[in-house]
Amino acid sequence: MGSSSSAPAVEFGSSDGKPIMAYTLSNGTMTVRVLDLGATISSVQVPDSTGKIKEVCLGYDEVAPYLDWTTNPYFGAVAGRCANRIAKGKFTLDGQDYQLATNNGPNHLHGGDRGFDKTIWTCDASDATSITLSLLSPDGDEGYPGNLRARVTYSLPTSSSLKLEYEATTDAPTLCNLTNHAYFNLADGGNGVQDVCNHEIQVFADFYTPVDETSIPTGEVRSVSGAMDLRQKTRIGTQIRRADNGIGYDHNYVLGPPNESGLRPAARAWEPSSGRWISMKTNQPGVQFYTGNYLNGFAGRAGKGAYHKHHGFCLEAQQYPDAANRPHFPSVVLRPGEVYRQTTVYEFGCSSSFPQGPI
């Protein structure tokens, strides 16, 4: 932690009689609000090309929508115990079959009916520019084996970066794949008339994992081509209807090796009207690029417009979806004595054109 004073905190609401707290991190250039409910990043405010600091993250200014799945598609929350989808909610581990909730059509999504996104985490420490939150997911939680202890630290290590660091341990073999489900709109935080189709995107991936009609990977690791090839800057709206599922991007991209930072370059995006850009790097082997295909008019922040289809995009660092059932995918199994670690860094800035060079 960078200083002795705690991050400013206010009571945001309550759930089942327990208070929900909101913590504000700020370094003078960017401001991030974090809820202990779901370890949720509920607000990210950064400068535009004129120096005005405004919202770039979808979220709510009151607690009620966060507590209702019909109005909260994981906005800014930590997804777990196993993020993304598991086919038919089933997996076998060390010869034991497990059945999880099927909360996304026939499949299991983001940890189940009451995943980490709907849990109040404990604030272990905070200061002006960082916060550490933790939880204990007990044995049998949402059908998963083992007592899992998870921790996430959000920090602002530079004037323009947001760093996410996760750790988890278990007392029995289990699955662990954590991510943050922040939705970004670099124009106006999704609260205006602008969707993200005019953003330009670049994803540093030569391969992706195609999916079936229920968004479960087929098992193939396919070379990118056509609309799925985002290695060069691409206007999101140009190819969005040609993405593999026909309704927008919601795909796991296979990232290349780490660079000198020890992290893998994942993606960057730029929005022309504000001049803002975001870049992402991570130690994870995949990134889910999702274009808010199922946003359907959720009420936005107080006094602002609603969140409609494609009003935000996500860049979710992860192991591959359904890895529990695909032995040739990187493993999501966590065993006693091992420590799950994940690091993701989002960098923000402004430029008059799409940024170039390494990230």
Side-chain angles (χ1 to χ4, degrees):
M1 297 292 169
S3 64
S4 58
S5 59
S6 298
V10 297
E11 187 168 332
F12 192 70
S14 64
S15 175
D16 297 328
K18 298 178 181 179
I20 295 169
M21 302 301 295
Y23 300 83
T24 300
L25 312 180
S26 182
N27 57 18
T29 302
M30 61 184 298
T31 300
V32 175
R33 185 175 64 191
V34 176
L35 308 182
D36 56 8
L37 174 67
T40 295
I41 297 172
S42 69
S43 173
V44 178
Q45 299 185 17
V46 297
D48 65 10
S49 58
T50 69
K52 295 180 180 178
I53 298 176
K54 293 186 177 181
E55 187 64 61
V56 296
C57 184
L58 278 62
Y60 298 114
D61 291 330
E62 57 281 327
V63 72
Y66 282 111
L67 298 172
D68 182 358
W69 160 242
T70 63
T71 56
N72 181 24
Y74 305 97
F75 280 148
V78 170
R81 176 178 309 195
C82 194
N84 217 303
R85 293 172 176 86
I86 298 175
K88 297 180 173 58
K90 296 179 179 181
F91 68 95
T92 301
L93 179 57
D94 294 343
Q96 177 69 44
D97 295 333
Y98 294 92
Q99 177 65 63
L100 310 174
T102 50
N103 61 319
N104 182 246
N107 304 316
H108 178 84
L109 177 66
H110 292 328
D113 292 324
R114 192 174 179 86
F116 290 3
D117 60 299
K118 298 178 180 68
T119 302
I120 297 178
W121 295 51
T122 298
C123 178
D124 292 336
S126 71
D127 63 28
T129 59
S130 63
I131 185 170
T132 297
L133 300 159
S134 66
L135 63 71
L136 169 62
S137 176
D139 179 38
D141 187 16
E142 290 296 317
Y144 289 97
N147 294 291
L148 185 88
R149 296 184 180 273
R151 180 172 65 183
V152 62
T153 297
Y154 299 128
S155 63
L156 308 178
T158 72
S159 62
S160 59
S161 59
L162 170 61
K163 188 175 187 179
L164 290 62
E165 299 171 280
Y166 307 77
E167 289 187 359
T169 58
T170 182
D171 63 358
T174 191
L175 307 184
C176 184
N177 182 26
L178 306 179
T179 195
N180 185 278
H181 210 298
Y183 291 70
F184 295 104
N185 183 316
L186 302 177
D188 60 7
N191 272 309
V193 297
Q194 297 192 56
D195 58 27
V196 298
C197 289
N198 205 39
H199 288 54
E200 294 179 353
I201 186 77
Q202 181 180 25
V203 179
F204 298 92
D206 295 329
F207 301 92
Y208 76 106
T209 52
V211 295
D212 66 16
E213 65 278 1
T214 68
S215 296
I216 292 293
T218 63
E220 179 186 0
V221 178
R222 182 184 297 173
S223 296
V224 296
S225 63
M228 303 306 298
D229 186 355
L230 302 175
R231 291 174 294 182
Q232 303 298 319
K233 68 173 183 177
T234 302
R235 181 179 173 273
I236 291 176
T238 299
Q239 297 279 31
I240 196 167
R241 297 288 179 262
R242 299 183 180 91
D244 265 7
N245 60 15
I247 61 172
Y249 292 96
D250 190 9
H251 298 83
N252 171 65
Y253 279 85
V254 176
L255 300 179
N259 61 19
E260 62 276 3
S261 71
L263 301 177
R264 305 167 193 254
R268 61 182 159 205
W270 175 74
E271 196 283 314
S273 67
S274 67
R276 292 191 187 96
W277 56 258
I278 183 175
S279 69
M280 176 196 179
K281 53 189 175 182
T282 181
N283 68 346
Q284 295 299 282
V287 60
Q288 188 86 3
F289 175 44
Y290 172 54
T291 48
N293 310 325
Y294 303 107
L295 299 179
N296 62 0
F298 300 145
R301 299 185 190 275
K304 305 292 185 179
Y307 297 132
H308 293 283
K309 187 174 184 178
H310 306 320
H311 268 213
F313 69 89
C314 303
L315 295 169
E316 305 163 61
Q318 62 182 8
Q319 302 283 354
Y320 303 171
D322 200 34
N325 295 306
R326 301 289 180 178
H328 60 293
F329 285 0
S331 177
V332 291
V333 175
L334 182 68
R335 297 186 181 278
E338 298 176 344
V339 180
Y340 169 90
R341 290 188 174 92
Q342 199 236 95
T343 300
T344 296
V345 178
Y346 296 107
E347 187 88 19
F348 298 88
C350 292
S351 60
S352 58
S353 60
F354 193 88
Q356 304 295 321
I359 63 173

